[in-house]
Amino acid sequence: MKRIIYTLSIFFLLALVIQGCKKEEELGEDPYGVGKSPLGITISQTLPPVPSEGIVGTTVVVKATGLLPYKDQLSFMFNGEKAQVISVTESEITVKVPEAGSTGITSISIGDQLILGPSFTVSGIIKNDITWKAIAGTNDYVNQFYQLADGRALVIGSFNNYDNKGLIVPVNRIARTSLDGDYDRTFRTGRGANGSLSTAIEIGGRLIIAGGFSGYNQRTENISNITSLYPNGAIDTVIIKTKKKPTVTDTVTQKWFPKFNGGANDYIHRIYPHQGKILATGNFRYYVKRTYDKDNYDFTRDTVILDSTEIRQILRFNLDGSLDKTFRFNTTTNKGNVSANGPIDTYMHTDAPNNEKLMVFGNFITFDGQPAVRILRLAVNGTIDPSFNPGSGANDGINSLTYNATTRKYLITGVFTRYNGKPANGIALINEDGSLDESFSAKSFEGGYPTFARQISNGLIIVSGYYRKYNNVTRNGFMVLNPAGLLEPGYNATGPFSGDLTDIVETKSADGKKALLLIGRFYRFDNLPVNNIIRVTIE
């Protein structure tokens, strides 16, 4: 009886499976079923082309089999750009590097099928600088490369390792180097900053550093995003006798504190020398300082009182850290000006006749309570400069603004599509008076938009971002345009770029060639792995 029941159970289960299969057949074909038939093509990704490097127009031979049946249908590409096919045989294909070709993977397309080939390096004017010393770069963001008066430089950012010199003792967010990237071990930063640094300046015989941090080396508290250092990298401190709660009977009456007594309640993005003082801009809402010599209100602890004064986004410090209430401040209400109603970034002029005027840009529609158009200029006294007239300005956020003192032009990037009512596709060249320079016309971007651009002294424009194509030409995140907005011949052979640039510094290589120092958070340049800071030559 048990055997009969067991047999019936198996029969019942089989019936369910068959019924399920019938229902599945009624639903139609499996969408993940049989793929396209293989074409029988083999192209080596490891065997290099002959030659493996060359300029535009170079004839290149790539080993491949199975191409003859498709010789009239196939397209050969260098990093996505179609090349001229010269010949196809049973064992190889001969092609010519196209005008728009750049370093990267070669490929063959037949219909809607793509076969990847080996990498090919397209030689151009921009090359990796072999004289740059810090070949290992940094392990995180680089925000600034600041050239010091003594001929050295500070590298500022979010890293804790510079050129592999921080493997045992971390190099926390600040390093001193030669202009060729050599690490200077005599810079006494100790444990450095405990948070990201954004910028540094030299003023009054001290280094001022700012960003988002609350401690530096052994001073692990009582810093509010800005402090001063001696030129050797040690923090500038002072001994202060603080008040104590009544129950304390120990004999310790003095402590070391940062001498720069002032700061902000949130991230400080930029600092500048300004009329012998320190102008700071960022995301903050309050200026803060500490009082050490007064009783705490409830007498329950050692006294360090944190006082705050409302002043948004832009403020000026005296050299000791106190708030300069002569700049953008209302002494009647004891509050600073309200600034913008959205995020800002800034650029400070150091050239005549605009010296110490401040450009303000971002995504805001009011400033100091008045209508604004995401970009404006402040006069030296902190009021809006009427000589800069952007009209209706940008119709969406501005991500970056740079200025070229040679051409006397501003260059902006962002997600905007118009400037003062005229087409401006994510990048625009602006005259000193705020008007659009219509001789520059940005073409179409595919796959993203530009995030940073700078016009260098010869008038060419370097653009980085997350786009894949520009004007229907493959440019993976990095390109060089002429002053009209077209790709500059010879400068656009570099391959894929991955990441963000924060700055481009015009400089020279150790052997005297024109060069560009690229900094930011980026991981690939010219299809090679890199780490946030490199130097390239312009040959």
Side-chain angles (χ1 to χ4, degrees):
M1 184 67 179
K2 289 181 179 179
R3 182 176 296 175
I4 294 172
I5 293 172
Y6 182 75
T7 304
L8 289 173
S9 298
I10 292 175
F11 178 81
F12 180 72
L13 289 172
L14 288 171
L16 287 175
V17 170
I18 293 169
Q19 183 66 26
C21 290
K22 286 182 179 179
K23 288 183 178 179
E24 188 173 340
E25 289 173 359
E26 292 170 2
L27 293 176
E29 295 183 3
D30 180 2
Y32 304 103
V34 179
K36 295 206 177 272
S37 301
L39 299 175
I41 295 172
T42 301
I43 177 171
S44 175
Q45 295 185 37
T46 56
L47 193 64
V50 180
S52 60
E53 179 176 348
I55 62 173
V56 168
T58 299
T59 299
V60 180
V61 178
V62 177
K63 295 295 182 182
T65 60
L67 293 177
L68 270 177
Y70 309 100
K71 67 177 183 177
D72 297 325
Q73 307 169 40
L74 63 80
S75 294
F76 191 97
M77 289 168 288
F78 287 83
N79 194 24
E81 291 301 311
K82 189 175 179 179
Q84 176 188 351
V85 177
I86 298 174
S87 65
V88 178
T89 69
E90 292 182 353
S91 61
E92 62 189 32
I93 180 171
T94 303
V95 295
K96 185 176 288 188
V97 179
E99 183 72 28
S102 57
T103 297
I105 297 294
T106 60
S107 60
I108 295 173
S109 68
I110 300 172
D112 58 358
Q113 296 198 54
L114 187 71
I115 304 100
L116 298 181
S119 293
F120 183 86
T121 299
V122 181
S123 302
I125 293 172
I126 295 180
K127 301 178 184 294
N128 184 49
D129 180 8
I130 61 174
T131 70
W132 174 251
K133 303 298 184 183
I135 57 175
T138 66
N139 65 340
D140 208 339
Y141 220 109
V142 176
N143 284 319
Q144 185 187 29
F145 186 85
Y146 181 79
Q147 296 188 26
L148 298 165
D150 65 5
R152 292 178 287 189
L154 294 180
V155 181
I156 300 291
S158 301
F159 54 86
N160 56 31
N161 191 1
Y162 177 86
D163 199 29
N164 285 339
K165 302 302 190 296
L167 293 176
I168 298 175
V169 178
V171 180
N172 284 328
R173 288 102 193 177
I174 181 170
R176 188 167 66 189
T177 72
S178 73
L179 296 184
D180 292 319
D182 280 313
Y183 181 64
D184 181 358
R185 294 183 181 276
T186 67
F187 197 53
R188 297 173 49 194
T189 60
R191 287 178 285 183
N194 66 355
S196 176
L197 296 181
S198 61
T199 184
I201 61 172
E202 281 183 292
I203 189 170
R206 297 290 186 269
L207 301 174
I208 307 297
I209 58 173
F213 66 110
S214 59
Y216 183 91
N217 198 9
Q218 295 180 340
R219 305 274 76 78
T220 57
E221 56 185 358
N222 299 312
I223 293 176
S224 295
N225 306 307
I226 184 170
T227 197
S228 65
L229 310 179
Y230 291 108
N232 67 359
I235 189 168
D236 188 4
T237 56
V238 62
I239 295 179
I240 296 176
K241 182 176 181 180
T242 60
K243 286 281 187 176
K244 291 180 172 295
K245 58 186 179 181
T247 57
V248 172
T249 58
D250 65 72
T251 58
V252 178
T253 60
Q254 298 182 124
K255 292 183 178 179
W256 291 94
F257 291 94
K259 190 173 183 180
F260 189 91
N261 185 8
N265 73 310
D266 208 338
Y267 197 87
I268 297 175
H269 193 52
R270 313 273 185 190
I271 55 174
Y272 311 96
H274 192 254
Q275 296 187 315
K277 301 179 183 182
I278 302 161
L279 193 146
T281 66
N283 298 323
F284 51 82
R285 184 173 179 179
Y286 294 97
Y287 163 83
V288 296
K289 71 170 185 177
R290 288 164 175 81
T291 301
Y292 303 106
D293 58 354
K294 293 182 179 179
D295 290 320
N296 186 274
Y297 298 119
D298 57 8
F299 304 101
T300 58
R301 60 176 174 80
D302 290 357
T303 299
V304 176
I305 301 172
L306 187 67
D307 290 323
S308 64
T309 304
E310 188 170 358
I311 182 166
R312 298 184 70 251
Q313 297 180 326
I314 303 170
L315 67 83
R316 195 163 69 183
F317 295 98
N318 295 308
L319 294 187
D320 62 358
S322 60
L323 178 63
D324 176 12
K325 293 187 177 182
T326 69
F327 184 80
R328 295 184 53 77
F329 196 84
N330 188 325
T331 54
T332 302
T333 61
N334 200 39
K335 289 183 179 181
N337 292 6
V338 296
S339 296
N341 69 335
I344 69 164
D345 199 352
T346 56
Y347 164 79
M348 174 73 73
H349 275 280
T350 57
D351 59 298
N354 293 314
N355 188 37
E356 297 194 330
K357 290 184 178 181
L358 185 74
M359 293 299 302
V360 182
F361 60 94
N363 199 2
F364 54 92
I365 55 173
T366 67
F367 190 87
D368 286 350
Q370 301 299 315
V373 292
R374 301 183 175 89
I375 185 171
L376 56 87
R377 189 166 65 205
L378 297 183
V380 177
N381 64 1
T383 61
I384 295 175
D385 179 4
S387 68
F388 182 86
N389 181 11
S392 59
N395 67 337
D396 211 330
I398 300 172
N399 294 325
S400 75
L401 177 148
T402 56
Y403 178 75
N404 185 296
T406 301
T407 64
R408 309 197 74 81
K409 306 282 186 182
Y410 302 104
L411 188 62
I412 60 173
T413 67
V415 293
F416 53 85
T417 58
R418 303 185 75 80
Y419 182 89
N420 196 20
K422 297 173 182 177
N425 187 33
I427 180 170
L429 201 60
I430 310 299
N431 297 313
E432 267 190 316
D433 63 1
S435 62
L436 181 67
D437 181 350
E438 296 185 60
S439 68
F440 175 88
S441 176
K443 310 307 176 187
S444 62
F445 288 90
E446 293 180 36
Y449 58 92
T451 57
F452 182 85
R454 180 177 290 283
Q455 186 177 43
I456 58 178
S457 57
N458 63 4
L460 296 180
I461 293 169
I462 319 293
V463 186
S464 71
Y466 291 98
Y467 52 87
R468 294 192 306 273
K469 287 192 172 186
Y470 177 78
N471 200 23
N472 205 35
V473 175
T474 302
R475 293 306 313 139
N476 303 108
F478 185 90
M479 64 183 175
V480 182
L481 305 180
N482 67 19
L486 300 174
L487 291 166
E488 180 70 2
Y491 283 81
N492 284 287
T494 56
F497 172 90
S498 299
D500 284 303
L501 289 182
T502 55
D503 205 0
I504 299 171
V505 181
E506 288 191 73
T507 182
K508 288 189 176 182
S509 64
D511 53 0
K513 297 174 183 175
K514 290 182 180 179
L516 301 174
L517 184 72
L518 311 181
I519 64 172
R521 178 182 285 165
F522 55 98
Y523 317 104
R524 185 164 288 272
F525 180 83
D526 199 17
N527 207 34
L528 296 172
V530 294
N531 293 301
N532 308 307
I533 180 169
I534 61 170
R535 194 168 66 191
V536 297
T537 57
I538 305 175
E539 301 183 28

